[in-house]
Amino acid sequence: TLGTQTDYRDGEAQTDPFSPEYVVPSGSVPELLTLATLTWGRGLPAGLAEVEMIERAREKRAWEATLPAMDSASHIAKRRKMMDDMERKEWAFREQEIEKLQEVRLEVLKKLLQRREENQNKLDAKRLDDHWQNHQKAKEEKIKKIQHDCALMLRKLIAKRKNVMGKLERRDIIKEYTDFASQTYAPLSRIGYFPDNHSERFVVKSFYLNTFAGLCELEASLPDSVTQVKIKAPKPKHTTTKTGFIKRSARLEVELAQVHQALLEKKNKVKEPKKPIHFLEKVEKPVPRPPTPVLEKPSIEEEETELAVICLQKLLRGRAIQNMMFEGKEKRLELIRELRTTHALQEDGQLLLKAEEQMTLALQKQHDLQMHKLSSVENHLAREEGRVLANMFDFLSKELVRLQEERKIHAFVMLAERQRRMREAEESGHRQVEERQRQEEDEIFKQAREGDCTIDSYLEDIILSSMENTAEEQAREEIQRMAVEINDIAYEMESRRTRLQSEEIVAELVYDFLIPEAEKMSIREKVRQSQRKHIYAAHQIIHRDTE
């Protein structure tokens, strides 16, 4: 009846799906065993690529089943031809996969280039905006300065115009004090006087206004008529005088009220429906229009004569203009010929220039394509080199850190071992001292009991024990001092290590760790390849037996 809840997500406690053990009966080869290489996260759960791979494996098994036996020369040739065809198909499929992969990489590269171009455009636009804003600020500052200079020059011109003759005028104090717009009452700040300065001197500072106790005391001192307001009803206005006449204000109020009422009635007036006609109404006819004037038609002979005259005028004018043009051409014939020759030469030169321009554009386009290809190849090579170098430097740095940590751990272990030995030595010394004290006490008790000991022997034993204790303490202090000196020497050697020594350590690391690891990997690959051959042969034997 109780529920529990963990502090962890299900994904943190999730493991790989369980794969139970299986037993294959003799004489059967299930198809599911061909997918044993697929594991969770590496092909499982199966996607579109895995399904296509499974279908290709099925087709290949079906094709292997159709291969003829190697019992005759014709069967062997047919088998070889079928295997060659299958190998061509596999190579074509592999080329398609490589092309798809290259297309995907090109798409990613295009997106990256487009994103970089967009970022560059944004950055350029931002820089242009900043530049434009700076120019705008400088422009506004210049405009303000020009306006200020303009106002200053206008004031100077006005002052000069007031006194054109250059006469000296005395100060009229009476006029200044009678004019409230003069410098006496309202001085200008540009002259150097600021009326708002030291305005705090005129602020009223009172105990009754700045403190709560003063406000309470001031409120208590006020009469009741101030704190308790008495409202009196308003008296009606008298619209008539004592003599009985109506006041002008009353008449205006009455007129305004009437106008307001008329406006409201006009605004809220509802349109009345049209009343039916009870009597006949006279419809006025419009004034008749005057008659339209009509022209008399000319006779056909006059019209033909007029058209013939117009045509003859046109011919005469055209012939006159033609004669004028011919005379002008004859007068300037040499100039026309010169112009024709120069234009012909210019056309030939323009054609040559166009051809050269087209050739130059084609060469430039070809050069741009080659440079683009070279830059893309260089970018790919630089990326691969950077990735390899990064992996190598990462591995070397990790190995260096690991070696340093190992040395530190080894040093810590040595220090701990030394401290443990020192503590054991101290404990053993304390134990020996306690045993010795116990023996001495037992001996003293025995001698005191037997009565054979004397004061001299007792003092001698005490002196010997104190000498032993003093010698042991001096030896311990000497050992500790030597350990501190050894530690200082070791730290100093570590700090004085040069770059050459560090490179030697890195070279030893590479020689001791990288080369054996590479040899191990190559040996593992060889073993895997040899095992793959045997596995492939075993699969073929099993399939042949099942068939």
Side-chain angles (χ1 to χ4, degrees):
T1 60
L2 298 178
T4 60
Q5 185 178 2
T6 64
D7 294 335
Y8 302 95
R9 292 173 59 250
D10 293 340
E12 296 176 355
Q14 182 65 38
T15 58
D16 293 341
F18 174 66
S19 298
E21 297 180 356
Y22 56 88
V23 178
V24 180
S26 60
S28 65
V29 181
E31 187 182 5
L32 191 62
L33 288 180
T34 58
L35 307 176
T37 55
L38 300 178
T39 58
W40 184 261
R42 296 181 179 178
L44 292 178
L48 182 61
E50 286 76 14
V51 172
E52 291 178 355
M53 183 185 70
I54 292 168
E55 291 296 331
R56 287 199 304 274
R58 285 179 178 175
E59 291 176 359
K60 190 171 183 180
R61 286 197 295 272
W63 172 78
E64 288 178 353
T66 58
L67 288 173
M70 299 176 64
D71 52 0
S72 64
S74 62
H75 287 179
I76 291 171
K78 186 177 180 181
R79 184 184 181 93
R80 184 179 296 127
K81 185 178 180 182
M82 292 175 68
M83 291 178 71
D84 292 339
D85 294 338
M86 179 55 69
E87 188 175 0
R88 290 193 194 93
K89 289 180 181 179
E90 288 181 353
W91 278 110
F93 177 74
R94 181 59 181 164
E95 288 178 357
Q96 290 178 0
E97 286 186 344
I98 292 170
E99 288 177 357
K100 288 180 182 178
L101 184 60
Q102 289 179 351
E103 289 177 358
V104 172
R105 288 180 178 176
L106 285 174
E107 289 294 330
V108 173
L109 184 62
K110 287 180 182 177
K111 289 180 180 178
L112 290 174
L113 290 173
Q114 187 176 3
R115 193 179 303 167
R116 187 180 68 178
E117 188 174 359
E118 290 176 357
N119 294 332
Q120 188 65 31
N121 291 334
K122 289 180 181 178
L123 186 61
D124 294 340
K126 186 178 178 182
R127 288 176 179 172
L128 287 174
D129 291 338
D130 295 339
H131 198 55
W132 183 78
Q133 288 177 2
N134 293 331
H135 278 290
Q136 287 294 112
K137 288 179 181 178
K139 178 183 174 183
E140 291 175 359
E141 289 177 357
K142 288 182 180 178
I143 291 170
K144 286 181 181 179
K145 188 175 183 301
I146 291 168
Q147 290 176 353
H148 180 266
D149 295 340
C150 179
L152 180 62
M153 296 305 294
L154 286 174
R155 286 197 298 270
K156 288 182 179 180
L157 289 173
I158 290 168
K160 286 181 180 180
R161 185 175 293 179
K162 286 180 180 179
N163 190 6
V164 179
M165 303 303 292
K167 295 180 180 180
L168 296 175
E169 294 181 359
R170 293 184 179 180
R171 180 183 176 189
D172 193 353
I173 300 174
I174 296 172
K175 184 179 179 182
E176 289 181 359
Y177 275 90
T178 53
D179 185 9
F180 291 100
S182 63
Q183 298 289 329
T184 305
Y185 293 100
L188 297 175
S189 60
R190 66 171 180 266
I191 299 174
Y193 180 78
F194 300 94
D196 292 337
N197 285 354
H198 307 292
S199 59
E200 65 274 2
R201 293 181 297 179
F202 305 104
V203 177
V204 178
K205 297 180 181 179
S206 176
F207 167 76
Y208 296 101
L209 298 177
N210 296 335
T211 59
F212 180 72
L215 287 173
C216 292
E217 187 176 350
L218 182 62
E219 186 178 1
S221 64
L222 293 175
D224 296 337
S225 61
V226 178
T227 58
Q228 297 177 2
V229 182
K230 293 180 181 180
I231 301 171
K232 294 180 181 181
K235 294 180 180 181
K237 295 181 179 180
H238 297 284
T239 57
T240 58
T241 59
K242 293 179 180 180
T243 57
F245 293 99
I246 298 172
K247 294 181 179 180
R248 183 179 294 177
S249 60
R251 287 201 305 270
L252 289 174
E253 287 180 0
V254 172
E255 290 176 359
L256 287 173
Q258 290 175 358
V259 172
H260 180 64
Q261 187 65 27
L263 290 172
L264 289 176
E265 289 176 358
K266 189 175 181 181
K267 185 178 180 182
N268 300 325
K269 185 177 180 180
V270 180
K271 292 182 179 180
E272 296 179 357
K274 292 182 179 180
K275 296 179 181 180
I277 300 172
H278 295 287
F279 304 101
L280 293 176
E281 292 182 359
K282 185 180 179 180
V283 178
E284 295 181 358
K285 294 182 180 180
V287 180
R289 296 178 63 184
T292 305
V294 179
L295 294 174
E296 295 181 359
K297 291 184 179 180
S299 62
I300 297 173
E301 294 178 357
E302 292 179 357
E303 190 174 356
E304 289 179 354
T305 305
E306 187 177 358
L307 291 173
V309 170
I310 292 169
C311 183
L312 184 60
Q313 288 177 356
K314 288 181 179 179
L315 289 173
L316 291 173
R317 287 173 184 170
R319 190 62 180 171
I321 292 169
Q322 190 175 5
N323 291 331
M324 289 172 63
M325 290 179 65
F326 184 75
E327 290 176 0
K329 188 187 74 170
E330 290 296 332
K331 287 180 181 179
R332 297 171 179 83
L333 187 60
E334 294 181 357
L335 182 61
I336 292 169
R337 289 175 181 173
E338 186 178 357
L339 289 173
R340 283 179 179 176
T341 54
T342 54
H343 278 292
L345 292 173
Q346 287 180 359
E347 288 178 358
D348 295 337
Q350 288 177 359
L351 291 174
L352 290 173
L353 288 174
K354 285 182 180 179
E356 290 179 359
E357 185 178 0
Q358 290 178 358
M359 189 181 295
T360 306
L361 290 173
L363 291 172
Q364 187 176 3
K365 189 175 181 180
Q366 187 177 2
H367 182 264
D368 292 338
L369 289 173
Q370 290 179 358
M371 292 299 294
H372 181 67
K373 289 180 181 179
L374 289 173
S375 64
S376 61
V377 172
E378 289 177 357
N379 290 332
H380 285 301
L381 290 174
R383 192 182 298 111
E384 294 297 329
E385 291 175 358
R387 185 171 59 188
V388 172
L389 290 174
N391 293 332
M392 185 175 68
F393 289 147
D394 185 28
F395 178 74
L396 292 175
S397 64
K398 287 179 180 177
E399 289 295 329
L400 182 60
V401 171
R402 188 181 64 79
L403 180 61
Q404 292 177 354
E405 293 295 331
E406 278 188 5
R407 290 194 173 184
K408 287 181 181 178
I409 291 168
H410 182 66
F412 288 152
V413 169
M414 294 292 290
L415 290 172
E417 185 69 22
R418 185 165 57 81
Q419 289 180 0
R420 185 180 63 79
R421 290 177 181 176
M422 290 172 64
R423 289 177 182 175
E424 287 180 356
E426 290 177 358
E427 292 293 333
S428 62
H430 288 306
R431 205 178 297 112
Q432 290 176 4
V433 170
E434 290 176 357
E435 289 178 358
R436 193 179 297 109
Q437 288 179 357
R438 194 181 299 111
Q439 290 177 1
E440 289 177 358
E441 291 175 357
D442 293 340
E443 187 67 26
I444 291 168
F445 181 73
K446 187 190 292 184
Q447 290 180 4
R449 189 175 180 182
E450 293 177 356
D452 297 336
C453 62
T454 60
I455 295 172
D456 295 336
S457 62
Y458 179 70
L459 292 173
E460 187 177 355
D461 292 336
I462 291 171
I463 291 167
L464 289 172
S465 63
S466 63
M467 289 174 66
E468 289 177 357
N469 292 332
T470 304
E472 187 176 358
E473 289 178 357
Q474 288 179 357
R476 190 178 293 109
E477 291 177 356
E478 186 69 22
I479 290 169
Q480 290 180 355
R481 185 176 59 77
M482 291 176 68
V484 170
E485 290 178 357
I486 291 168
N487 285 335
D488 294 337
I489 293 168
Y491 289 148
E492 188 176 358
M493 290 176 67
E494 185 71 21
S495 62
R496 289 182 179 178
R497 188 175 63 188
T498 60
R499 182 179 178 183
L500 184 60
Q501 294 176 355
S502 302
E503 291 178 355
E504 288 179 358
I505 292 169
V506 172
E508 290 178 359
L509 277 172
V510 173
Y511 185 77
D512 293 337
F513 291 99
L514 284 178
I515 296 174
E517 186 67 24
E519 291 178 354
K520 288 179 183 178
M521 289 172 68
S522 63
I523 291 168
R524 289 172 187 168
E525 186 66 26
K526 289 179 181 178
V527 172
R528 193 180 294 109
Q529 289 179 1
S530 62
Q531 289 178 356
R532 191 179 297 165
K533 294 178 181 178
H534 296 303
I535 291 169
Y536 182 69
H539 278 300
Q540 285 185 347
I541 292 168
I542 290 168
H543 288 309
R544 192 181 299 115
D545 293 339
T546 54
E547 289 172 1

